[in-house]
Amino acid sequence: MKKLVVIRGGGELATGIAHRLYNTGYQVLMLEKEYPSAIRRSIVFAEAVYEGEKKVERLTCYKAAHLSEAEKMLKDGKLVILVDPEAACLAKLKPRILVDAIYAKRNMGTSKDMADFTIAIGPGFTAGKDVNCVVETTRGHNLGRLIYEGQALPEKETIEVRALMRASHSINAPCDGYLEAGHPLSYIVKKNETIAKLHMDGGHVFEIKAPVEGVLRGLLHDGCPVRTGLKIAEIDPSTMPTNCVTISAKSRCISGSVLEAILMWENANVKKSRLPWKK
């Protein structure tokens, strides 16, 4: 499978990348954990881990029960997701291209020796050391920039992201437990309305209330295990409900940069030209 790209992660940015690469002719295998924690479930392929399949903008991702099934589905032309958080399948697949799109703001175990060409999304990686290329994810002038030496900017320190956080209201878990979702995504919630419940040990229940009125843009999957401090929901007071079911501008920008990096690498190998990180 020479056109195979393995993507670690199945969240919002990973979905945008998978969507673009698949539509441009690549075989795509996504790797996720057993209980994905992406909150914008309407637009993430990680939801296929729970539901068996997930459609985002006319493209469906299918869950494989094991590696041999994933290989068959890939050969049949399907976009596939597999529960494999440790990326153990790489030993057998030996992919030429690997994209770390977990977006944990730290390296969760990706290294350059995992594939011939490795790309990482956002902060937490050093281009030239951990991976071959890093894609900038901070909003602003450098969004989508390809980095071949050094690191992406730490997003929490930028003015643009602080402004975005004021526009959207994130809700973090106040305690450990299991989430009971109260509303579907795109639902219009009112201030102080209960949007979910956390079931804790001992039978205790904590109600999660909306801090503002707006569109329920993100909410963890029903039954998902939650740890204290984990982002579990997002309410956007300005977004139209229809925006909750389409790939965002940021995801499109970053996915385009990933495609550019891959094509540059492939063309350089064909033409035997010097690669950017070897100058």
Side-chain angles (χ1 to χ4, degrees):
M1 292 186 279
K2 293 183 178 180
K3 297 288 286 184
L4 174 65
V5 177
V6 174
I7 301 175
R8 298 193 71 187
E12 184 178 4
L13 295 183
T15 295
I17 294 166
H19 204 282
R20 187 177 294 264
L21 293 182
Y22 182 89
N23 284 337
T24 50
Y26 289 90
Q27 294 172 299
V28 179
L29 173 64
M30 308 179 78
L31 306 179
E32 254 294 357
K33 55 187 178 181
E34 186 176 3
Y35 296 102
S37 54
I39 65 170
R40 296 179 184 173
R41 295 182 287 108
S42 296
I43 54 168
V44 297
F45 286 137
E47 192 71 359
V49 173
Y50 295 103
E51 305 295 339
E53 60 183 66
K54 176 63 179 178
K55 179 181 287 188
V56 177
E57 293 197 19
R58 302 185 302 278
L59 178 58
T60 302
C61 178
Y62 299 90
K63 179 185 177 181
H66 43 73
L67 179 56
S68 59
E69 183 179 37
E71 291 179 294
K72 183 180 184 302
M73 293 168 74
L74 288 167
K75 291 178 181 178
D76 289 340
K78 294 181 178 179
L79 171 59
V80 185
I81 193 166
L82 176 69
V83 174
D84 184 8
E86 305 301 324
C89 68
L90 300 182
K92 181 180 180 183
L93 293 177
K94 295 180 172 55
R96 298 172 66 237
I97 302 166
L98 173 72
V99 181
D100 188 315
I102 298 174
Y103 203 45
K105 314 296 177 65
R106 58 192 177 95
N107 191 339
M108 301 295 288
T110 294
S111 60
K112 286 198 299 182
D113 61 3
M114 285 181 166
D116 296 335
F117 183 54
T118 54
I119 305 170
I121 307 304
F125 301 86
T126 300
K129 179 182 178 183
D130 302 319
V131 293
N132 298 110
C133 178
V134 171
V135 180
E136 181 61 70
T137 55
T138 297
R139 284 180 170 83
H141 179 74
N142 289 316
L143 177 63
R145 185 178 294 276
L146 300 179
I147 302 168
Y148 292 103
E149 292 182 3
Q151 300 179 335
L153 294 173
E155 294 188 3
K156 63 181 180 180
E157 297 179 7
T158 64
I159 296 175
E160 293 88 351
V161 171
R162 286 201 297 270
L164 180 67
M165 291 177 67
R166 287 195 295 270
S168 297
H169 292 262
S170 297
I171 302 172
N172 298 328
C175 55
D176 295 352
Y178 287 86
L179 188 87
E180 178 187 349
H183 293 300
L185 297 184
S186 302
Y187 187 86
I188 305 296
V189 298
K190 298 191 178 298
K191 184 176 181 180
N192 295 323
E193 182 177 353
T194 299
I195 60 173
K197 296 178 181 179
L198 275 180
H199 293 265
M200 300 172 283
D201 291 340
H204 301 291
V205 178
F206 188 95
E207 292 189 349
I208 306 297
K209 297 183 180 295
V212 295
E213 181 176 342
V215 177
L216 186 59
R217 188 178 184 187
L219 182 65
L220 281 184
H221 194 280
D222 191 60
C224 186
V226 172
R227 66 179 185 277
T228 303
L230 179 69
K231 184 177 178 180
I232 59 175
E234 181 181 349
I235 297 173
D236 194 330
S238 60
T239 298
M240 296 293 293
T242 52
N243 289 0
C244 297
V245 295
T246 53
I247 296 171
S248 69
K250 180 176 180 178
S251 294
R252 294 186 191 283
C253 175
I254 291 171
S255 67
S257 296
V258 170
L259 177 60
E260 177 187 351
I262 291 173
L263 292 177
M264 285 175 60
W265 177 74
E266 291 180 334
N267 290 336
N269 283 331
V270 170
K271 298 177 181 178
K272 305 300 181 182
S273 59
R274 183 174 293 180
L275 298 167
W277 56 88
K278 293 185 177 180
K279 290 184 179 179

